[in-house]
Amino acid sequence: MPELPEVETIKRQLARVLIGRVFKSVEIRLPKQVKGILVKDFRRLIRKSKIVKLERRGKMLIMNIVKEDDILRTEGKNVKPMFLIFHLKMSGQLIFKDKRGRLKGGGHPIKDALNCLPNNYSHLIFEFADGTKLFFNDLRQFGWVRLVIKRKELENLTKDLGPEPLGKNFKLQNFISCLSQKPNSRIYQTLLSQSCACGLGNIYVNESLFYAGIKPTRKNKNIKKQEYKKLYQAIRKILKKAIAARGTSIDKYLDALGNIGGFAKYLKVYQRQGQLCPHSCGSRIKRLKINGRSAFFCQKCQK
DNA sequence: CGGAGTGTTAGTCG
DNA sequence: CCGACTAACACTCC
């Protein structure tokens, strides 16, 4: 599930409960989800590390962690953090459970998953020194976690990501020139590729294109500057609104447990095929496969 | 029961 | 290099 607004929501929720906590151990039930490092090194580096900061880059959640020993040795000055990076892909969740069993965090909703933790999908279980826990659940097992020591390695992992669409570096002119560099790509596909703006997935790409009045099948080279401006504004507006609503949840899911999802009621086209266009044009929302993904759009309102 | 569909992206192939 | 396609996986829905 998680696209930019969902990961941002999870980051904000988890920051409130994770900053300052110290890892005691990690139970690795599905080793393949720990990428790029030997499991034994992963355990060793995690142990006695304190979470000092949470960041997000695109759809990745990044915890800055520091060995407690290093903090003591240097009296907390100029300690370089390591980076624990999560990608939830299609179905990952990060759920924090405090000592009383209360939950915070969230991700893709899995039926009954929150009633019982750990469950069949809890592939990594981090335990903190105070007995609280962080569960990494992932039904489809595409998600991953990695740990890198240097900021340089983190930069390597994010180097192909376009700018943060809500960040200062996201400028209309840069956005247009980036899209123009892929003249034969279709706008729907380019937006999903993370290259000109990061963090957009199928929900927000479809919603942004509807808002901007651009058909997902349009080739970039045929899109006018004015339309790109509208798209740029649409992306920012929709992402902000989605973050304010704490993300989107499709399907059934449990609220009240720190799980996410108020944006679903604002969706105009995503998974609304067959329904009347919300612009009251009389046309019905179409669904079309583009490179294996479902695009949703109004034939009348999107040119 | 079989097939399609699901919030992602890395890798391969032409 | 680009764009199209597929695999990684487990589940739900029609």
Side-chain angles (χ1 to χ4, degrees):
Chain A
M1 158 234 246
E3 304 179 30
L4 188 153
E6 291 76 31
V7 180
E8 180 64 25
T9 300
I10 292 167
K11 186 198 87 175
R12 291 178 185 184
Q13 290 182 336
L14 288 180
R16 279 189 266 129
V17 292
L18 288 186
I19 303 293
R21 291 204 198 272
V22 177
F23 288 105
K24 181 164 75 184
S25 62
V26 53
E27 181 182 340
I28 302 171
R29 298 184 175 185
L30 193 64
K32 71 171 182 182
Q33 292 199 288
V34 179
K35 305 273 190 195
I37 187 171
L38 291 175
V39 160
K40 72 171 164 60
D41 292 330
F42 184 75
R43 284 180 198 289
R44 175 174 56 82
L45 291 166
I46 287 278
R47 208 171 86 86
K48 293 190 181 177
S49 286
K50 179 188 270 191
I51 300 175
V52 296
K53 186 180 177 188
L54 263 62
E55 305 175 62
R56 179 190 55 73
R57 188 70 179 89
K59 301 171 193 173
M60 293 181 210
L61 179 71
I62 302 155
M63 295 181 191
N64 297 14
I65 67 174
V66 181
K67 279 277 188 189
E68 276 201 306
D69 292 348
D70 291 342
I71 298 174
L72 289 173
R73 191 164 44 76
T74 60
E75 296 174 338
K77 289 174 193 161
N78 298 321
V79 193
K80 292 192 176 157
M82 302 181 285
F83 303 96
L84 184 59
I85 309 155
F86 293 88
H87 200 307
L88 303 180
K89 288 288 187 96
M90 295 283 269
S91 59
Q93 303 177 314
L94 274 174
I95 296 173
F96 177 79
K97 191 175 183 180
D98 72 14
K99 277 179 282 190
R100 292 181 188 172
R102 287 179 303 206
L103 309 175
K104 292 272 165 52
H108 180 93
I110 297 174
K111 196 170 52 174
D112 294 335
L114 299 181
N115 296 333
C116 168
L117 282 174
N119 56 47
N120 283 346
Y121 313 111
S122 303
H123 304 310
L124 304 172
I125 305 167
F126 299 87
E127 185 172 2
F128 298 102
D130 62 359
T132 56
K133 289 181 177 177
L134 179 69
F135 296 88
F136 179 86
N137 302 337
D138 189 2
L139 187 149
R140 295 182 69 181
Q141 306 179 8
F142 297 163
W144 49 254
V145 60
R146 46 182 89 215
L147 178 62
V148 301
I149 314 258
K150 294 181 178 160
R151 189 165 276 279
K152 189 87 188 164
E153 301 171 79
L154 173 61
E155 284 165 9
N156 257 336
L157 283 173
T158 56
K159 70 179 189 315
D160 293 330
L161 286 181
E164 287 291 332
L166 297 180
K168 286 188 193 122
N169 294 332
F170 189 56
K171 298 273 200 279
L172 175 61
Q173 290 315 315
N174 299 343
F175 185 55
I176 293 175
S177 66
C178 180
L179 291 165
S180 305
Q181 282 165 24
K182 302 167 187 299
N184 290 312
S185 178
R186 284 176 286 194
I187 185 64
Y188 171 78
Q189 195 193 352
T190 319
L191 291 178
L192 281 177
S193 77
Q194 313 293 301
S195 53
C196 297
C198 68
L200 296 173
N202 208 20
I203 295 175
Y204 299 106
V205 165
N206 278 301
E207 293 297 309
S208 299
L209 288 171
F210 176 73
Y211 192 97
I214 301 171
K215 233 180 229 160
T217 46
R218 284 274 289 285
K219 287 198 170 184
N220 298 349
K221 64 182 173 192
N222 298 328
I223 296 175
K224 309 260 186 308
K225 276 223 165 83
Q226 200 52 38
E227 294 177 299
Y228 275 146
K229 185 176 179 187
K230 199 138 190 233
L231 178 59
Y232 172 88
Q233 292 167 338
I235 289 169
R236 293 173 56 89
K237 179 167 181 149
I238 288 168
L239 291 179
K240 281 181 196 168
K241 190 171 174 186
I243 290 172
R246 301 164 73 235
T248 305
S249 286
I250 309 297
D251 301 334
K252 40 195 167 298
Y253 93 106
L254 303 171
D255 205 344
L257 293 173
N259 210 351
I260 58 181
F263 195 72
K265 62 176 174 286
Y266 300 121
L267 294 176
K268 307 279 192 205
V269 290
Y270 181 74
Q271 289 196 346
R272 293 185 149 272
Q273 66 273 25
Q275 298 184 36
L276 286 170
C277 171
H279 284 173
S280 306
C281 70
S283 188
R284 290 183 186 274
I285 301 302
K286 291 254 183 299
R287 189 182 74 167
L288 183 67
K289 280 271 177 199
I290 302 179
N291 294 335
R293 306 299 305 279
S294 283
F296 303 88
F297 64 102
C298 172
Q299 247 171 343
K300 216 166 185 177
C301 297
Q302 291 170 263
K303 303 293 181 192

